[in-house]
Amino acid sequence: MSTRRLRSEDYNDYSSTDVTPEGSPPGGMNGFAHPESYQRFGEANGTTWYQTLIHLLKGNIGTGLLGLPLAVKNAGILLGPVSLLVMGVVAVHCMGILVKCAHHFCYRFQKQFLDYGGAVVYGLESTPSAWLRTHAVWGRRVVGLFLIVTQLGFCCVYFVFLADNLKQVISAANGTTNDCSPNRTVVMTPTMDSRLYMLSILPFVVLLTFIQNLKVLSIFSMLANVAMLVSLVVIYQYIVRDIPDPKDLPLAAAWKTYPLFFGTAIFAFEGIGVVLPLENKMKNPRQFPLILYVGMTIVTILYISLSVLGYLRFGADIQASITLNLPNCWLYQAVKLLFSFGIFFTYAVQFYVPAEIIIPPLVARVSERWGWLVNLLLRVVLVSVTCVLAILIPRLDIVISLVGSVSSSALALIFPPLLEIATYYTEGIHPLVVAKDIAISLFGFVGFVVGTYEALVELIAPAAAVVNSTSVMVQ
């Protein structure tokens, strides 16, 4: 998930149906709108193809990437990357479905722009079922609910990630040297529990979320992106060296751990919310389909390469975040702190969307005199809730898998295929397309149920867990 999912121009995707692009595209059953007739947006200050590609990459690369090596362990050195490739293809296909359906309804109802929730509302209104048409407004509410759960879930992941990495850095501080040899042993100094680190971080995160100016947040987000990019380069140059013989690694892991792989993988690929806002803001939106496929191809290659190389490099010792496997020397301690710096500021960016959905309606119920105080108090409450949830589930791998299974699977896999069926059912849709969409939705639903169940089992019975992400590897 994402370090730049939520730029200022992206928020309209979740809060408003009508924005201000120009024109309406004709939709079609066999792909995106026809280029010659597609003129949704053409403002001079729109984003170029290069800027859109960068935003798409940043919107899909986040903490989920660091957990993918463990995900591959849960699937197997062969089954894992193959599954990642399949899941990437399906996820990108679902992104294309969402864009196609939004285009269709924009042309059909002469709308300038539709967000995810708006497209679902019109999709339900197009079905032959009177009950679905009557309750179509619930489409937007359900999408909004899953969006809130997903974004606050990301925030919970950030708390656990920050606590785990800070704990490891502080524990090894006394023995940290310039020697980055993987065979060097560092005596870890006993330190406080990771839950206490989360509580220690809480006041700073609360203060960060008090910043409500999107231009200021965009500056912090840019710094976070630079910090994480530098960290990824250093991580790659370490894991490609001295890779041991992989003959002892299983080609396919036990099926019991595969649902944990599903949750982590779909958590990483859940970038569908950024698609429509990016397409809307382009100077030439006819280029967007190509950008979508090129960008997500790069993302998929990055995911597969880091996950496979990370698992090959550390084998059975791989932890919930690959940063926890790095040597305890100054260089890699700096990498952990640099990535933590990026994640800290990313919290405010991810927090913005659920805050904008939840807080304004509640503030509107009080007088203007007390509005600012209620606003701040609600922010404190929401941040504290994410902290408490992280404390209750202090295992990074389980938090990622749980968030991915519960909410990301719905937004990325379940809803888009059903939306395609609803959109084109009355106009005629090929039975093979219906079968394909049902298969994808069932795949997402099974992953949702089984992934959530296995994550909860791992949470309830930690003694049987395969990996304890809060434990610290002795280098």
Side-chain angles (χ1 to χ4, degrees):
M1 279 299 33
S2 62
T3 62
R4 281 286 286 178
R5 297 163 55 89
L6 311 173
R7 282 174 52 88
S8 59
E9 64 264 33
D10 297 342
Y11 298 129
N12 290 323
D13 184 47
Y14 308 113
S15 58
S16 173
T17 300
D18 299 317
V19 193
T20 56
E22 299 173 354
S24 302
M29 282 293 298
N30 299 318
F32 294 95
H34 195 268
E36 284 72 21
S37 57
Y38 182 35
Q39 298 293 333
R40 282 165 57 88
F41 191 75
E43 292 184 2
N45 61 350
T47 56
T48 64
W49 70 267
Y50 175 76
Q51 292 171 323
T52 303
L53 178 61
I54 294 300
H55 292 329
L56 182 66
L57 294 176
K58 290 186 293 186
N60 284 274
I61 298 175
T63 52
L65 172 64
L66 302 179
L68 286 177
L70 179 60
V72 168
K73 177 188 175 183
N74 288 329
I77 191 60
L78 177 61
L79 182 60
V82 171
S83 299
L84 274 177
L85 177 61
V86 172
M87 193 166 293
V89 171
V90 173
V92 176
H93 177 66
C94 289
M95 292 178 184
I97 288 175
L98 178 61
V99 174
K100 182 179 68 173
C101 292
H103 292 178
H104 178 83
F105 288 124
C106 284
Y107 175 72
R108 179 178 173 184
F109 297 107
Q110 295 301 300
K111 288 286 184 179
Q112 294 178 323
F113 177 73
L114 282 178
D115 62 7
Y116 197 155
V120 172
V121 169
Y122 280 113
L124 293 177
E125 289 179 347
S126 300
T127 63
S129 170
W131 188 88
L132 288 177
R133 293 196 302 269
T134 303
H135 298 84
V137 68
W138 280 94
R140 177 181 296 280
R141 295 171 183 171
V142 171
V143 170
L145 173 62
F146 277 99
L147 175 67
I148 291 173
V149 172
T150 300
Q151 298 301 128
L152 293 182
F154 292 158
C155 294
C156 293
V157 169
Y158 295 162
F159 264 110
V160 182
F161 178 88
L162 290 171
D164 282 354
N165 282 270
L166 290 178
K167 179 180 179 180
Q168 189 181 74
V169 169
I170 294 174
S171 297
N174 291 335
T176 301
T177 66
N178 292 324
D179 183 7
C180 294
S181 171
N183 296 322
R184 189 177 67 88
T185 300
V186 174
V187 178
M188 311 298 283
T189 304
T191 183
M192 59 185 180
D193 187 88
S194 61
R195 297 173 179 86
L196 295 179
Y197 279 97
M198 296 180 203
L199 288 176
S200 302
I201 298 168
L202 177 60
F204 301 99
V205 177
V206 168
L207 291 176
L208 180 66
T209 59
F210 284 171
I211 301 175
Q212 303 174 44
N213 187 301
L214 291 176
K215 292 184 178 180
V216 176
L217 285 180
S218 67
I219 296 174
F220 288 134
S221 183
M222 181 187 66
L223 295 175
N225 291 326
V226 172
M228 287 187 280
L229 177 61
V230 173
S231 300
L232 280 177
V233 171
V234 178
I235 291 172
Y236 262 102
Q237 66 83 28
Y238 178 77
I239 63 177
V240 296
R241 297 180 295 168
D242 303 322
I243 295 178
D245 190 344
K247 64 180 181 180
D248 294 330
L249 300 179
L251 296 180
W255 285 106
K256 182 176 178 59
T257 60
Y258 190 84
L260 298 178
F261 162 84
F262 173 87
T264 304
I266 198 60
F267 177 94
F269 275 112
E270 202 288 289
I272 195 168
V274 79
V275 170
L276 289 179
L278 288 181
E279 185 265 354
N280 172 51
K281 279 296 179 179
M282 287 191 67
K283 286 182 180 179
N284 184 6
R286 289 176 294 179
Q287 299 174 332
F288 185 75
L290 178 61
I291 293 172
L292 175 64
Y293 295 129
V294 171
M296 293 307 299
T297 298
I298 296 173
V299 169
T300 303
I301 293 173
L302 180 63
Y303 283 178
I304 294 176
S305 63
L306 184 68
S307 60
V308 172
L309 290 173
Y311 184 36
L312 288 174
R313 178 65 178 81
F314 300 111
D317 294 324
I318 189 68
Q319 297 199 48
S321 170
I322 196 172
T323 55
L324 299 175
N325 286 99
L326 298 177
N328 290 310
C329 63
W330 286 117
L331 173 62
Y332 296 108
Q333 296 292 65
V335 168
K336 298 169 192 174
L337 292 176
L338 196 61
F339 217 103
S340 298
F341 170 85
I343 292 299
F344 173 75
F345 286 113
T346 301
Y347 185 104
V349 182
Q350 299 289 4
F351 181 81
Y352 188 94
V353 161
E356 286 299 296
I357 294 175
I358 297 172
I359 293 177
L362 298 177
V363 171
R365 295 175 178 269
V366 300
S367 64
E368 186 175 350
R369 176 183 177 185
W370 298 103
W372 67 273
L373 180 60
V374 173
N375 186 343
L376 297 182
L377 288 176
L378 289 173
R379 290 176 179 274
V380 172
V381 170
L382 287 176
V383 175
S384 299
V385 167
T386 63
C387 182
V388 170
L389 291 175
I391 289 173
L392 294 175
I393 315 175
R395 287 185 53 190
L396 184 59
D397 56 330
I398 298 303
V399 177
I400 291 177
S401 183
L402 193 59
V403 173
S405 298
V406 170
S407 55
S408 299
S409 59
L411 293 173
L413 298 179
I414 300 176
F415 293 161
L418 297 180
L419 175 62
E420 183 174 38
I421 295 175
T423 301
Y424 297 108
Y425 186 82
T426 57
E427 301 178 16
I429 182 171
H430 198 282
L432 290 179
V433 176
V434 175
K436 177 264 298 180
D437 288 340
I438 292 176
I440 294 176
S441 289
L442 285 177
F443 171 69
F445 182 75
V446 171
F448 165 81
V449 174
V450 180
T452 302
Y453 172 78
E454 288 297 335
L456 292 176
V457 168
E458 288 288 308
L459 176 64
I460 295 172
V466 178
V467 176
N468 185 348
S469 68
T470 59
S471 64
V472 178
M473 178 182 177
V474 177
Q475 299 287 347

